[in-house]
Amino acid sequence: MRPERDFSPYMEAVRSRAVEVPYNPPVVFLETVRGCPHSCAMCHFRHTKVRRMGASLLDRLEPCFQDLEVLAVHGQGEPLLGDLEYFVEQSVKSRFVLHMNTSGFLLTKRLSDLLSQTRLSIRFSVHAGAPETYRRIMGHDLGKVKRNVSYLVDMARESGHASDFWFSFLVMKENVREIEAFLHLAHDCGIKSVRFM
């Protein structure tokens, strides 16, 4: 049996800022938007005031972007309400992957055309396989979301950027019988990966 290592000296050095890291982190998570005006049944941020990350903070963070592999622009809000033009521009300039989790409600052809200019990693929260259940759980039109996600997947494919799209399904009593329909929906949208929680 190996003896346990004592990491407390390292942790104390970090706390006292006695350690200097000579490189920037390869992955950064930014809560670019806090709050969401929508009404998804499982979300405790529903119907909350939307606040966007300020430009002054982004200006201070921008030097870190040059070394990034992935910038995740999500947290406790809907990232499609954020400054996507800025993040796409930074992603193209610094060649990092732009990652987000989104319901996809606000996805439009204009946003899809913008997003498809760079490498993407997007997890779409879908949580249903039938339009009626989707409306009850998510409060929106599944057909519209399906069309918009399909358009983005097509645009990303045409752009030649390697992108990674997922559908996410939170299993609950209201949707458990729609797993097969959900898998067909993902396939119809060109989504090759799904996640069940």
Side-chain angles (χ1 to χ4, degrees), residues 3 64 131 139 142 166 184:
C64 296
L142 180 59
W166 292 65
H184 286 288

Side-chain angles (χ1 to χ4, degrees), residues 112-113 116 146-161 165 188-191:
S112 293
D113 291 342
S116 65
K146 178 182 175 184
R147 286 187 301 277
N148 292 338
V149 169
S150 297
Y151 180 82
L152 174 61
V153 170
D154 289 344
M155 290 299 97
R157 188 178 310 114
E158 285 179 22
S159 75
H161 298 295
F165 300 112
D188 292 347
C189 291
I191 302 289

Side-chain angles (χ1 to χ4, degrees), residues 9 25 28 47 55 57 85-86 106 108 127 138 151 163-164 166 196:
V28 170
H47 298 302
L57 181 55
E85 290 85 2
Y86 172 82
L106 302 173
T108 61
H127 313 310
M138 305 295 285
Y151 180 82
S163 293
D164 180 33
W166 292 65
F196 293 96

